[in-house]
Every structure is written in C-alpha cells, then in structure tokens.
Amino acid sequence: MQKLKHLRHVMSPLDLTTEELDKMMDLAEDMEAKPEKYAHVCDGMKLATLFYEPSTRTRLSFETAMLNMGGSVIGFHSADSSSATKGESVADTIRVLGCFADIAAMRHPKEGAPMVAASVSPIPVINGGDGGHQHPTQTLADLMTIRKLKGRLNNLTVGLCGDLKFGRTVHSLISALVRYDNVKFVLISPEELRLPSYVKEDVLAKNHKEFTEVIRLEEALPSLDILYMTRVQKERFFNEDDYVRMKDFYILDEEKMGLARDDMYVLHPLPRVNEISVDVDADPRAAYFRQVYWGMYMRMALMFTLLELEVK
Ligand code: NCD
C-alpha cells in the first residue's frame, strides 16, 4: 500500500479548494493530451469500488481512470453481492478493503455512509454519490465541461432543471459554483421538487448568491449560459404515483432549444430518461456526452492527487 503524507477523503466538492480544482483541471487536460506520460503512474496499485447502488458511468469511469494509469480494480457493484447482505457495516467493509487497495470509491443509498467509511478508513475514500446528498466527482466532470465550453467558471447564469430536491449532482454543483464570482442560479422545478431549504439558506444565501425559482423552463431558457438538466430521482420517491406525476414534467426538445442562446450549453449527469428528447443530441449545444468524457480524466486527476503521485 502507498504510504501517504496526508490521508484525504473527498466527500463533497468543498473538500477541494478552488486552486486545487484549477490544478486538477489543468492536469486532466494534460492527461488527455499525453496519455503515455501517465500510463504507469499507478503500476501495482489498486482501486476498490464499493457500489451499494446501481451505476454505469461513475463506476466504469473510476475503473477506466485507474486502468489508464496502470493500476487495477477490485470491488463489488451491488449491495447484494457484498457482505452487506450478512449485516456487515460500511465501517468494517472499508477496513477490510483498506487491507487490499490503495484508494476507494463508494456509492451508497444512505446519505452520509461514505463519511462513516472515511472516518475509519486507512485509505482515501471518494464519495461516488450518497443518497440525495452529494456527488462530488460528477461535479468535477461538470466544472471541467463548463470550463472547456465557456472558458470560465465565473460570470455565468446557470439554470438547474428537474429534480432539485433529491438530485445530489445539483447539490454538489451548487456548492462548488458559489465559490466563483458573479454566478447566478435559476432554479427550475415543480413545487414538489424544489431545492431543499438547507441548500438555499446554507449554501446560496450564505454565499450571497443571486437565485430565482421558476416553474416554466421556457421562461428561464433565454437568459441562461448553462442549462443543467436532471432526471427525476425515481428511487428516492416514497410513492410511485408522485413519481409518475412528476417524471415527464420537463422535456427539453429542439423547439425549446430555439429559445436559448447559441452559446448556451446543455449538461446532464445522465442517465437520461425522457427529460431531453433525443432530437437535441445532434444540437452542437448538447454537451452531456462530452461531460462523461471529461469525467473520466477528472477522476484520473483526482486519484493522482489523493495518491500524491508524481510523473517520473
Ligand atoms: C447521477 C447520480 O447517480 O446521482 N448519475 C451519475 O452518476 N452520473 C444522476 C442520476 O442518477 O440521475
């Protein structure tokens, strides 16, 4: 196992300073441009993926990131296939995985579970999404994509649309963006799926950020630099009827895209259900697959940083 000078965990984007984020984005660009330079920096190292909840992008992106740096991957991709079914706690599981691996990524349906793991872990733990709370590595992908497309992370009007209540990607992205100057937020959601008041008060108001809440997407579209669409989080609803009522509340299509500026980009953490019509995919402003692409390089850069690696 790698001996680290500082054992650090990433539970929320706030565990990284904006200076560190800038450096990580520069590093991710270098990793994309010169893959051979980083192809062996993790030789002999292992990533453990502890996924207690379904995932396609996040887990495979972490795995690809480690493989691209010469390391290997161990782990499980559902609670059913781990000793969680026997009643093992996340704290014990991470202590065990800490005997095998150098770094871990964990996704869990319960808010705070990765923090519990981090509090006893001998290796860095990265939160790969905890319930409706935080998803910091999605934010890394989002920030990188915005920087690539707009050339800046300040002076932006960002619309967040859909399930702002349960959408952990939204909570993480807001907490990251409030640290940049002159970022305004337009919160687009049905009444029932509004941004939780703790995010409005503790994150937006406390950082003196301007925000408006609207129900109609059409009303918000003309003013936006970035539109961040989200899926209604079916798995977090208490009853099926409420989900069915909400699930097709927003459908972005090419006709609505006509209301947006030519330099407004559409992001989505994916998976998409119906909230973005496939006819938008060919629009040059559709950036969601580019987000996936940059997410992998940002996970490489994050693991490189937490493992205190250097290029030889
Ligand atoms: C998101 C998540 O898991 O929160 N997906 C992802 O990691 N890209 C968004 C979602 O599931 O809707």
Side-chain angles (χ1 to χ4, degrees), residues 142-156:
D142 304 342
L143 295 178
M144 182 72 194
T145 308
I146 298 173
R147 191 178 93 160
K148 275 271 162 200
L149 295 170
K150 302 297 290 183
R152 62 179 194 274
L153 290 168
N154 53 10
N155 302 320
L156 292 170

Side-chain angles (χ1 to χ4, degrees), residues 57-58 107 128 135 138 168-169 231 233 235 268-271:
R57 262 152 304 278
T58 305
R107 169 170 289 190
H135 192 346
Q138 181 61 48
R168 56 195 175 195
T169 60
R231 169 182 75 91
Q233 305 282 296
E235 63 277 35
H268 189 308
L270 302 178

Side-chain angles (χ1 to χ4, degrees), residues 31-253:
M31 288 170 151
E32 193 224 14
K34 304 179 196 117
E36 62 297 337
K37 195 169 140 190
Y38 300 91
H40 296 287
V41 288
C42 287
D43 277 359
M45 292 188 184
K46 288 182 202 74
L47 160 73
T49 51
L50 291 74
F51 276 61
Y52 294 86
E53 211 186 42
S55 167
T56 302
R57 262 152 304 278
T58 305
R59 185 173 59 83
L60 296 178
S61 164
F62 264 113
E63 296 193 6
T64 308
M66 183 45 98
L67 297 175
N68 284 348
M69 295 192 287
S72 42
V73 182
I74 57 169
F76 52 85
H77 47 79
S78 78
D80 298 350
S81 61
S82 79
S83 281
T85 52
K86 300 181 189 169
E88 186 168 62
S89 66
V90 292
D92 283 2
T93 304
I94 194 73
R95 284 191 183 103
V96 171
L97 270 297
C99 299
F100 307 147
D102 300 275
I103 190 163
M106 178 187 276
R107 169 170 289 190
H108 203 285
K110 286 217 177 87
E111 287 82 3
M115 286 74 157
V116 173
S119 69
V120 297
S121 177
I123 57 173
V125 178
I126 304 169
N127 180 2
D130 63 322
H133 188 215
Q134 293 283 333
H135 192 346
T137 62
Q138 181 61 48
T139 300
L140 298 183
D142 304 342
L143 295 178
M144 182 72 194
T145 308
I146 298 173
R147 191 178 93 160
K148 275 271 162 200
L149 295 170
K150 302 297 290 183
R152 62 179 194 274
L153 290 168
N154 53 10
N155 302 320
L156 292 170
T157 301
V158 179
L160 299 133
C161 176
D163 189 346
L164 309 187
K165 180 177 180 186
F166 296 117
R168 56 195 175 195
T169 60
V170 167
H171 307 158
S172 285
L173 182 57
I174 292 177
S175 57
L177 283 176
V178 294
R179 297 189 288 181
Y180 298 91
D181 289 338
N182 194 27
V183 177
K184 297 188 188 108
F185 297 89
V186 184
L187 308 173
I188 311 151
S189 76
E191 295 272 353
E192 293 91 331
L193 297 179
R194 281 195 169 171
L195 192 71
S197 52
Y198 79 88
V199 185
K200 269 187 255 175
E201 281 146 32
D202 298 350
V203 185
L204 289 172
K206 209 173 249 171
N207 287 285
H208 313 290
K209 288 296 169 206
E210 218 178 279
F211 68 92
T212 49
E213 290 185 295
V214 302
I215 296 177
R216 291 186 66 242
L217 176 57
E218 292 85 336
E219 193 184 317
L221 270 169
S223 68
L224 303 179
D225 295 304
I226 297 290
L227 171 62
Y228 196 86
M229 292 296 293
T230 61
R231 169 182 75 91
V232 176
Q233 305 282 296
K234 181 179 185 197
E235 63 277 35
R236 319 243 180 263
F237 276 70
F238 294 112
N239 96 48
E240 175 81 16
D241 292 349
D242 287 346
Y243 170 68
V244 171
R245 212 159 35 81
M246 294 290 125
K247 74 179 174 58
D248 293 328
F249 202 95
Y250 297 108
I251 298 181
L252 179 68
D253 55 18

